[in-house]
């Protein structure tokens, strides 16, 4: 057996390099290695390692404490592994091989599903569905039974001390392990192991209680089951096209956010007690004088706090915006020029179709081949198209007669090929609309491989979790957002879909955003009645059916009246991990606000609302037309949004620095791209339509805009020419 040294790792690793931190693949198979032969300190320097082959050795466990953040594939087959819990540090692992380890049991397999939350392929098989069942469904069942043991026989001591809690934990864990019975005997060891973990977590939650969310169950008013299928856009006062069908009418809010300046009920208890005269009745003027003193103090404190808050707010704004500016200081505003205009969604492929409305577009993520970033998917009418932006050609087209597509989303899932062949990532496309069905498409192989029913009503929006590509959120016109696990696929396109979570909205969800840094814990949804935040963590003490955690309100709400409602949020996108862009169609501005600072506030107890911490306000078009969605390009610090005249308003972050927060007025756009006025045969130029949606590739080589007159416009930056 050869000793593991830096030189050996460099020889066995690839690509060939002089530094361990650059190694991505390492083969240490059939070297007779035991656990003590793996130096943790040395191996920890493999920070970029993605694939590691340790097969054919004598390992009884994996080195504890060895963290390899980039590791996605590990081969431990043909070893002597007995303790799978030693793999707990590899939380990013997606594929694991453990064949020919004699001591591995079914219980160990279950433990791996819990310890490795990203595990998808195990011993060459796609285990996504089974693993998620163990992580969430099975664990929830054990948690319910464990809590029943607590409520029946245990309670917290009146005075909590470390000694009492240690004894209580020991007794409770022991009782739970003995009394909780679930599942077949083959996984009894896993059940006891999992119950012990859950029991300790539950006991900690009792001694460190979370703030009461004041959530209440709301009874639902059932509507008629037979409701006409809505079209995407609802009616507005300025709408003149009588041929356009209407969505259900918007529900108008009757409660407005409470003012933060409202006096606290505790103030009366904090007022100084008036002095009493022991020789007679209390002097009548004392309370008045006391009240005056109290009011003067309060006003002075408010004025001082106001000055401090204003200064702190300015510093906080700059602390969030300036890093973005610095990151993009070397970039210049994009010079976008019109490149192509396509009518690829026409009814019966007619060039005379200017009525089909186009609703969603998105660039392919993680391209499977060179030039993949040029591919954009679009949907509208009864078809979904995949377009090469540079060539202006439709590469793939999927038609579903009778359907009307409203939304689509890209993701990357694993395709298992069977046998010893390693699984490979593949880009898939999900699309849905009027029928409430989600279509699953693999564009590279030109295969629409499946569908499933997500709702009995139309689907308004789809969104994949960018960290867990098999998790899909669907938002529908029955005011529900559902989280699905669509799993992976095999070479025969077998797949399985499981519902994981249901979120109840109070109005139709229009956009869904997952915070880039924490897509597994929270979800923002822009609805017809406001912007809501949900807790989407699976497992824990959460239920599978949840109401909103809080509502995020905006300063413009204070100007609402019976004639003007600003609660419909029809634009929402993250510009950075923390900065969010959102808009209401009647506002005439786009807000940039801080996600972290907004979420850190204590929600109002009555309506669970917090006010967005606005960083900047961008000037936008004055229009009553809803559903003109904005988008962002984080890589180039760009925000863009179309209007109802065919124009596209673009904002570059380096330009925002010049005017940020000084004038108190909305910041003008960097550039407004004019409608290119394409010519119709024999009919002359076409007036600018509403730009319903747009998308930018990560490097902003292309900008694609969709209109409500069946036109896909492709713009290209001069640098990409």
């Amino acid at each position: 057996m050869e000793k593991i040294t830096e030189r050996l790792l460099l020889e066995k690793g690839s690509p060939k390099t002089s530094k361990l931190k650059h190694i991505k693949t390492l083969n240490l198979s059939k070297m007779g290695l035991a656990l003590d032969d793996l130096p943790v300190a040395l191996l920890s320097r493999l920070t970029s390692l993605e694939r590691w082959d340790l097969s054919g050795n004598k390992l009884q466990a994996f080195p504890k404490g060895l963290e390899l953040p980039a590791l996605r594939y590990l081969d431990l087959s043909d070893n002597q592994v007995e303790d799978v819990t030693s793999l707990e540090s590899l939380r990013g692992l997606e594929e694991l091989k453990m064949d020919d380890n004699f001591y591995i049991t079914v219980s160990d397999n279950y433990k791996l599903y819990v310890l490795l939350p990203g595990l998808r392929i195990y011993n060459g098989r796609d285990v996504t569905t089974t693993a998620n069942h163990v992580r969430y469904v099975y664990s929830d069942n054990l948690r319910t039974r464990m809590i029943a043991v607590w409520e029946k026989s245990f309670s917290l001591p009146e005075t909590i001390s470390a000694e009492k809690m240690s004894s209580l934990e020991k007794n409770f864990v022991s009782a739970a392990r003995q009394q909780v019975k679930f599942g077949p005997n083959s996984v009894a060891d896993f059940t006891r192991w999992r119950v012990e973990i859950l029991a300790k977590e539950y006991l900690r939650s009792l001694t460190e209680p979370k703030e009461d969310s004041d959530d209440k169950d709301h009874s639902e008013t059932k509507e008629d089951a037979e409701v006409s299928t809505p079209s995407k856009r609802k009616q507005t006062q300025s709408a003149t096209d009588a041929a356009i069908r209407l969505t259900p009418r918007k529900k108008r809010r009757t409660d407005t956010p409470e003012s933060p300046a409202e006096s606290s009920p505790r103030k009366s208890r904090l007022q100084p007690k008036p002095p009493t005269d022991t020789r007679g009745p209390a002097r009548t003027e004392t309370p008045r004088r006391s009240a005056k003193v109290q009011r003067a103090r309060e006003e002075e404190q408010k004025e001082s706090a106001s000055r401090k808050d204003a200064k702190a707010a300015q510093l906080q704004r700059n602390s969030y915006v300036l890093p973005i500016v610095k990151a993009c200081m070397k970039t210049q505003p994009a010079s976008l020029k019109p490149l192509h205009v396509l009518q690829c969604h026409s009814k019966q492929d007619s060039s005379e179709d200017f009525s089909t409305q186009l609703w969603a577009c998105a660039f392919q993520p993680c391209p499977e081949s060179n030039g993949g970033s040029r591919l954009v998917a679009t949907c509208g009418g009864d078809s979904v198209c995949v377009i090469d932006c540079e060539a202006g050609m439709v590469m793939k087209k999927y038609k579903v007669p009778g359907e009307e597509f409203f939304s689509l989303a890209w993701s990357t899932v694993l395709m298992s090929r069977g046998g010893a062949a390693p699984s490979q990532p593949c880009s898939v496309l999900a699309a849905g609309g009027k029928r409430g069905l989600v279509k699953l498409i693999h564009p590279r192989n030109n295969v629409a491989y499946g569908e499933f029913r997500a709702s009995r009503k139309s689907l308004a929006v789809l969104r994949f979790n960018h960290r867990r590509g098999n998790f899909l959120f669907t938002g529908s016109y029955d005011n529900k957002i559902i989280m699905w696990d669509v799993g992976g696929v095999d070479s025969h396109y077998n797949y399985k879909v499981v519902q994981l979570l249901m979120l109840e909205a109070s109005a139709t969800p229009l956009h869904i955003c997952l915070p880039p840094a924490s897509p597994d814990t929270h979800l923002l949804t822009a609805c017809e009645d406001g912007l809501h935040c949900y807790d989407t963590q699976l497992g824990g003490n959460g239920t599978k059916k949840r109401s909103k955690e809080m509502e995020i309100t905006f300063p413009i709400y204070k100007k609402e009246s019976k004639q003007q409602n600003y609660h419909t949020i029809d634009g929402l996108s993250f510009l950075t991990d923390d900065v969010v862009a959102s808009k209401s169609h009647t506002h005439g501005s786009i807000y940039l606000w801080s996600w972290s600072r907004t979420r850190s506030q204590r929600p109002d107890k009555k309506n669970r609302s917090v006010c967005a911490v606005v960083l900047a306000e961008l000037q936008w078009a004055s229009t009553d037309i809803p559903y003109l969605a904005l988008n962002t390009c984080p890589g180039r610090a760009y925000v863009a949004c179309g209007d109802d005249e065919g124009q596209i308003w673009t904002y570059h972050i380096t330009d925002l620095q010049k005017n940020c927060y000084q004038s108190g007025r909305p910041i003008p756009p960097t550039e407004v791209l004019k409608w290119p006025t394409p010519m119709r045969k024999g009919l002359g130029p076409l007036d600018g339509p509403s730009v319903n949606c747009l998308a930018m590739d990560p490097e902003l080589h292309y900008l694609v805009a969709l209109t409500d007159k069946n036109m896909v416009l492709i713009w290209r930056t001069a640098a990409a020419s």
Side-chain angles (χ1 to χ4, degrees), residues 96-157:
L96 174 65
K97 286 193 173 184
M98 296 282 286
D99 294 308
D100 299 324
N101 281 273
F102 182 75
Y103 300 106
I104 297 298
T105 65
V106 178
S107 283
D108 291 322
N109 295 339
Y110 275 36
K111 290 179 184 179
L112 286 171
Y113 299 154
V114 173
L115 293 169
L116 306 176
L119 187 65
R120 301 184 189 180
I121 305 297
Y122 183 52
N123 292 337
R125 296 187 302 109
D126 187 339
V127 296
T128 305
T129 301
T130 303
N132 282 333
H133 179 84
V134 173
R135 293 166 187 153
Y136 310 124
V137 179
Y138 196 104
S139 294
D140 282 346
N141 206 312
L142 295 181
R143 185 178 296 103
T144 301
R145 294 164 187 257
M146 172 271 299
I147 293 175
V149 172
W150 169 267
E151 293 177 345
K152 179 181 179 181
S153 307
F154 294 89
S155 62
L156 291 174

Side-chain angles (χ1 to χ4, degrees), residues 47 137 156 318 348 350 370 384 438 490 531 561 575 609 621 665:
T47 54
V137 179
L156 291 174
N318 290 338
Q348 300 177 348
S350 171
N370 293 332
V384 175
V438 174
D490 62 18
L531 179 59
S561 63
L575 179 62
S609 67
R665 294 190 297 269

